[in-house]
Amino acid sequence: MQRRHLIHAVGLTAVALALPLAAQAQDNVFKIGLILPMTGQQASTGRQIEAAAKLYMAQNGDTVAGKKVVLIVKDDTATPDVTKRLAQELIVNDKVNVIAGFGVTPAALAAAPLATQSKTPQVVMAAATSSITEASPYIVRTSFTLPQVSVAMGDWAPKNGIKSVVTLVSDYGPGNDAEKYFSERFQLNGGKVLDKLRVPLRNPDFAPFLQKVRDAKPDALFVFVPSGAGSAVMKQFLERGMDKAGIKLIATGDVTDDDQLNDMGDGALGVVTTHHYSAAHPSAANKKFVEAFQKANKGMRPNFMAVGGYDGMRVIYEALKQTKGQGGGDALLAAMKGQVFESPRGEVLIDAQTRDIVQDVYLRKVEKKDGQLYNVEFDVLKAVKDPGKAK
Ligand code: PHB
């Protein structure tokens, strides 16, 4: 029944898109449907990306190539069935020109067939499983991929005295990617993976898993959990005295998330992570971004989700400019491919072949600066492509 409903709706979309351009252009409006988790476990991602998208619009105006840009924000609570329904409504009823956002992998995947069928560009600003860009030729990603940042840790750890690890990841797409790409590289470099643990995505209790880690006595614990769950891991890690037992914590930067880091306390000091964005990134462009973001949002510190949203808006605005406001989905998509620009994170490229982002990946250590905790970058791998695409 649901399937028939969907096919029917997609049929309608095709009709809507076949209307003469003039009929659609009449209102001179360019609509972006921003689907985000605004409530529930992933709400911080929605809050960060919405704030960043609004900042981008405030800084760059809402008239582009003669069109008024309208942002329609919808809360999918990170539930894929809801994402799918909202994407369908936005495409069919609101006739949005672009769908964007997507806080988690299952949400991005749920919308992908609708993007393909209606030829609507889908800008993925948050979700980070490698395979997402393969789910639709209309997907462009401005976030990152887990293989991109996990491989960097697989190289760094064995060179820095870590010979054995246990991995602990959230049991879904990005976690499985982090586990695989970190472990493969770590082992290639002579390291030993003693155990691979997967925790449920919803309301995980880390205690029994951390007990297993203690018993295995690795040099380090490698962790991936999605943005918003990092402080729970950090708290349990410290409460259980893992650090005192000589087990180091290493992770992707999702764990020492700038949205939560400052509240994690001094126990987080010294934790090394790999990621593509830190609020402490020392560039003029980033300083400007962080200041403006904080000013517009009661002091809230932007995290990597915010940057994915901010850059996603840039990619959309630039495509609209390049197509002079006259293009349909295919023209917009073509104009998104190959964009090169300076993001608050550093220089980035939207790879025209893969539609995925190529970016610098940083080694960072949690340090205190002016009384606040930050991920301070100490090394960089330049222009890293998603290693997941080579396979
Ligand atoms: C994802 O679901 O793809 C995801 C969510 C949050 C992250 C990373 C990946 O921090």
Side-chain angles (χ1 to χ4, degrees), residues 103-106 126-129 132 144 146 172 174 224-227 254 304-305:
V104 293
T105 290
T129 301
I132 286 173
F144 72 108
L146 265 307
Y172 76 124
F224 162 81
V225 290
S227 183
D254 308 74
F304 62 100
M305 293 301 187

